[in-house]
């Protein structure tokens, strides 16, 4: 394997050339950065997720709302809406669950950002939407937290 093409050298910002004009894109979950910036400026890296998806950011409303009449005349409105949500499911009893519980109980406004390679999403002004359901059973309990993002931004090419 050529220098710079090792799996550990892959950062999510590039592809590995596998010849004949083909490239290999690798995803490494360990390189996803999921952070909360507290009101005091301190930054916390989130850990201890469920088995499966770690975090799901989502834009709440469409950027463009369109319509057409029966004769195919179209019209559209750019909404400039900046609402979004970020959902993360973590292990009950983990430091991340404790942090999210504290943010919820204190009504703190915080930053919540996700980054991987060139892709970045999140917002600087977020609040926990509601307390999670709290099941207990045979398996490791998890807690699904949803943060409301008031200034949601998505950039799939942040470092280009």
């Amino acid at each position: 394997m050529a220098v710079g093409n090792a799996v550990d050298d892959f950062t999510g910002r590039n592809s590995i050339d596998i010849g004949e004009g083909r490239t290999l894109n690798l995803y490494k979950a360990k390189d996803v950065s999921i952070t909360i910036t507290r009101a005091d400026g301190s930054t916390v890296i989130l850990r201890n997720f469920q088995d499966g998806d770690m975090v799901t950011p989502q834009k709440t409303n469409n950027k463009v709302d369109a319509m057409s009449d029966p004769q195919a005349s179209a019209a559209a409105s750019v909404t400039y809406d900046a609402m979004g949500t970020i959902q993360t499911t973590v292990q009950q009893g983990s430091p991340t669950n404790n942090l999210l519980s504290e943010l919820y109980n204190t009504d703190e406004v915080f930053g919540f950002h996700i980054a991987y390679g060139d892709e970045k999403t999140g917002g600087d002004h977020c609040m926990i939407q509601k307390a999670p359901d709290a099941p207990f059973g045979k398996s490791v309990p998890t807690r699904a937290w949803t943060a409301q993002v008031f200034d949601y931004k998505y950039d799939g090419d942040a470092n280009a």
Side-chain angles (χ1 to χ4, degrees), residues 127-146:
M127 290 181 75
I128 300 296
Q129 195 170 56
K130 69 179 187 92
D133 292 345
F136 293 90
K138 180 179 176 185
S139 301
V140 174
T142 59
R143 302 293 178 256
W145 291 93
T146 300

Side-chain angles (χ1 to χ4, degrees), residues 10-45:
F10 184 75
T11 65
R13 291 189 171 101
N14 57 353
S15 300
I16 296 172
D17 182 354
I18 59 174
E20 299 178 5
R22 298 175 298 152
T23 58
L24 171 66
N25 296 310
L26 293 177
Y27 169 75
K28 295 190 302 186
K30 72 180 188 84
D31 292 337
V32 176
S33 170
I34 305 167
T35 59
I36 284 181
T37 303
R38 304 281 311 259
D40 66 5
S42 63
T43 299
V44 181
I45 298 171

Side-chain angles (χ1 to χ4, degrees), residues 36-112:
I36 284 181
T37 303
R38 304 281 311 259
D40 66 5
S42 63
T43 299
V44 181
I45 298 171
L46 275 57
R47 306 242 187 265
N48 307 108
F49 302 99
Q50 71 175 349
D51 183 16
D53 289 342
M54 298 181 291
V55 65
T56 304
Q58 181 178 358
K59 180 87 170 68
T60 302
N61 297 311
N62 295 334
K63 183 176 183 177
V64 176
D65 285 326
M67 63 161 292
S68 67
D69 70 8
Q71 295 178 334
S73 294
S77 169
V78 178
T79 63
Y80 298 101
D81 180 290
M83 299 289 280
T85 60
I86 299 175
Q87 183 176 29
T88 186
T89 303
V90 300
Q91 299 164 9
Q92 181 273 337
S94 69
T96 295
N97 187 65
N98 295 343
L99 168 66
L100 295 169
S101 181
E102 180 182 340
L103 293 170
Y104 170 73
N105 288 320
T106 61
D107 296 326
E108 185 173 329
V109 177
F110 56 93
F112 200 164

